[in-house]
Amino acid sequence: MTHTDHRTLRRVLHREVAGTVGLLADEHDFRAMRRYDSFVFDDHTTYLKHMEAVLRTRALQGSHTTVALFDPEDYAEYCAETGLDPDSHTSRARFTAVLASTGPTVPYDGRPLADLLPTLIDEAVRHATWEYAAAILARLGACASCGEDLGRAAFTRASRLLVRILDAAPPGERHLVCSVSGPPETLVAVLHADDIADRMELDESEAFEFTTVLAVGLATGSPGGLVMRTSKPGSPDRIHGWRLRVHGLEPLTAGEVFDAYCTDAESGELISPESNVDYCEPPDLGEEPGPAHCH
């Protein structure tokens, strides 16, 4: 009886232990891991099938599991830096534990891996975008004239601008996209903000990443734009847009918003406008509180 009680208690505790699974999402990463003898899989499809079975079993046992992208190159660097043997399941487990605290993860919610993978990849892209944007702001350094941290000043301005945009937006669900062009690639950040019962609901991580990308546009003067789409039941969606400028946001006219949405970016050909959508001038954001850094 005592032995049974001990086993029952251990099963209860097992359910309270959270875990992270490092997932090889594509064939390229899978092939890179096959150079290690301790990695026993030789077929990516079979690997994913068994991984999904492990995740489902943990879920049925009541265990919480997060899924992270396992990057073989990052893993090799980690082993070189820490002196671990990369051809070891123990080393892979330790690297996965690091991913749980430093990298992008998504909780396993019972979805098939085919449906979960796009969400995980989107999360990884968001994380990489934020890291790159944050690095750009950090490299700006201090103002030679007054010593102010230029990246921090740009982030503060971007935060204030975002608050003004959300405050001035029509009620409803807001979908914002900020893009900043420049080498080596365009930075894109997305933010969802819902105005429900006069209470703003948004994801803090999304807001932080969005603000960082917006700050890069303000600080560097790189070409960019910000688009906001608001949706409310029973009304057409409303689309507003701004150009990014060093001094702030320059509103687009309704015609410019229409042209941007109804022109193919690659071919330049016209695209039919969406039904039940109004292309509008953006709301007045008022004067920016405090001057922009202009040294």
Side-chain angles (χ1 to χ4, degrees):
M1 180 65 179
T2 301
H3 180 64
T4 302
D5 289 344
H6 286 171
R7 292 176 57 184
T8 301
L9 290 173
R10 287 172 185 171
R11 282 198 297 269
V12 170
L13 286 175
H14 181 74
R15 290 198 296 268
E16 298 192 20
V17 176
T20 301
V21 170
L23 183 67
L24 296 163
D26 57 40
E27 287 276 3
H28 178 268
D29 289 344
F30 180 82
R31 286 196 299 271
M33 290 302 296
R34 290 195 60 200
R35 65 178 179 265
Y36 302 121
D37 291 337
S38 60
F39 185 77
V40 298
F41 290 94
D42 56 13
D43 178 77
H44 190 230
T45 301
T46 301
Y47 161 82
L48 290 177
K49 185 184 300 182
H50 284 285
M51 181 65 78
E52 188 162 1
V54 169
L55 291 169
R56 285 179 175 171
T57 299
R58 285 182 55 83
L60 289 172
Q61 293 172 345
S63 298
H64 175 78
T65 310
T66 56
V67 184
L69 284 181
F70 193 105
D71 187 295
E73 292 185 8
D74 290 346
Y75 171 64
E77 291 178 6
Y78 169 79
C79 289
E81 292 171 357
T82 57
L84 294 174
D85 176 13
D87 196 357
S88 165
H89 69 274
T90 303
S91 299
R92 289 194 290 275
R94 290 182 60 175
F95 177 68
T96 300
V98 172
L99 292 178
S101 59
T102 62
T105 62
V106 296
Y108 177 70
D109 54 9
R111 279 181 289 171
L113 278 184
D115 297 333
L116 188 69
L117 270 176
T119 302
L120 180 58
I121 292 171
D122 286 346
E123 189 68 20
V125 170
R126 277 181 49 197
H127 188 79
T129 298
W130 171 78
E131 284 189 330
Y132 182 66
I136 292 175
L137 294 180
R139 288 199 299 266
L140 294 176
C143 174
S145 298
C146 69
E148 183 176 16
D149 186 303
L150 296 175
R152 187 174 302 162
F155 187 87
T156 299
R157 286 188 62 214
S159 299
R160 291 171 178 166
L161 269 175
L162 178 58
V163 170
R164 288 160 57 203
I165 291 171
L166 294 176
D167 284 345
E173 298 180 0
R174 294 88 180 264
H175 178 83
L176 293 86
V177 179
C178 181
S179 60
V180 178
S181 301
E185 59 188 27
T186 297
L187 296 175
V188 179
V190 177
L191 174 64
H192 300 88
D194 297 338
D195 182 12
I196 301 174
D198 295 326
R199 186 180 73 255
M200 185 66 64
E201 293 189 0
L202 49 78
D203 183 277
E204 291 186 4
S205 296
E206 272 193 4
F208 190 76
E209 293 156 7
F210 188 92
T211 305
T212 304
V213 171
L214 177 56
V216 169
L218 297 174
T220 63
S222 301
L226 193 156
V227 173
M228 176 174 64
R229 182 174 188 142
T230 60
S231 303
K232 187 179 180 181
S235 303
D237 285 4
R238 298 170 62 87
I239 299 178
H240 315 274
W242 295 264
R243 292 186 186 89
L244 265 62
R245 295 288 186 259
V246 173
H247 59 77
L249 297 177
E250 181 180 285
L252 298 176
T253 65
E256 288 173 325
V257 176
F258 179 89
D259 289 342
Y261 263 80
C262 300
T263 303
D264 186 277
E266 295 183 0
S267 67
E269 297 180 356
L270 293 178
I271 304 172
S272 299
E274 294 183 58
S275 60
N276 204 36
V277 170
D278 290 339
Y279 303 92
C280 314
E281 291 186 13
D284 183 10
L285 302 182
E287 294 296 325
E288 181 174 359
H293 192 99
C294 56
H295 294 299

